[in-house]
Amino acid sequence: MTGSGWKDSVNIPESTTKATLYCSEDDKEEWDQEVEEQGYRSRSAYLYELIQEARAYREQGFLAHHESEERIEELKQEIEHLENRLENQEQQSSGRTKVDDVDFLEKFLEETYKPLDQILREIVESGALDDLIRKRVEDQLYFLAQQDRVEFERGHGWKLKNKGDW
């Protein structure tokens, strides 16, 4: 070695400096394999090119971590909004009643005052809630019957079994 030390031993220009990189042995082996597969002259040249590529991506906004998180949050909100719209459309197309819908509630209101319990009674008596709750209640009753907690008899309906039996 002469003069400036390590640079002279590998014919590196004076304008080049050394940067030390610490990594796992697995990473080093993986990089060496990529160097060989892609035909680079050295691991240093390969890593230098990767760093330059990453800089270019960052300048274009592709690697900015905070920007990615913001975009992810925007996309999550958009997904939630679209899911809500889809649910509303499915309810409308299935004919299911939405009890907090203004048009639905106006059917049970008049120009005179009605107490809430009367409005609720009229809604229940109209059968409008059957589609909303019937399937859920039936599913739960059959589930409880499978667990032998309730029983059904045609012509009579459902009843709770003695708690000591289950």
Side-chain angles (χ1 to χ4, degrees), residues 114-121:
K114 283 186 188 177
L116 178 60
D117 61 335
Q118 182 181 351
I119 295 169
L120 292 173
R121 186 172 42 256

Side-chain angles (χ1 to χ4, degrees), residues 96-97 99 104 108 123-132:
R96 283 183 48 192
T97 303
V99 294
F104 171 76
F108 300 96
I123 291 172
V124 170
E125 289 171 357
S126 75
L129 296 180
D130 285 355
D131 290 341
L132 289 174

Side-chain angles (χ1 to χ4, degrees), residues 29-40 46 50:
E29 289 173 9
E30 184 179 346
W31 294 338
D32 287 343
Q33 183 179 356
E34 291 170 4
V35 164
E36 187 177 314
E37 289 171 356
Q38 297 180 25
Y40 284 90
Y46 173 68
L50 284 179

Side-chain angles (χ1 to χ4, degrees), residues 73-112:
E73 188 59 37
E74 288 174 10
L75 290 172
K76 284 181 181 178
Q77 289 176 358
E78 187 175 341
I79 288 169
E80 185 177 331
H81 173 74
L82 291 171
E83 285 174 342
N84 289 339
R85 282 185 50 199
L86 179 62
E87 182 181 334
N88 288 340
Q89 287 177 349
E90 286 175 349
Q91 284 180 350
Q92 289 173 359
S93 66
S94 71
R96 283 183 48 192
T97 303
K98 191 169 181 182
V99 294
D100 59 351
D101 180 53
V102 173
D103 293 332
F104 171 76
L105 291 175
E106 284 181 346
K107 294 177 188 176
F108 300 96
L109 298 173
E110 299 169 359
E111 292 182 8
T112 58

Side-chain angles (χ1 to χ4, degrees), residues 17-31:
T17 188
K18 180 179 180 180
T20 304
L21 176 67
Y22 298 97
C23 65
S24 71
E25 186 64 33
D26 290 341
D27 286 338
K28 181 180 173 276
E29 289 173 9
E30 184 179 346
W31 294 338

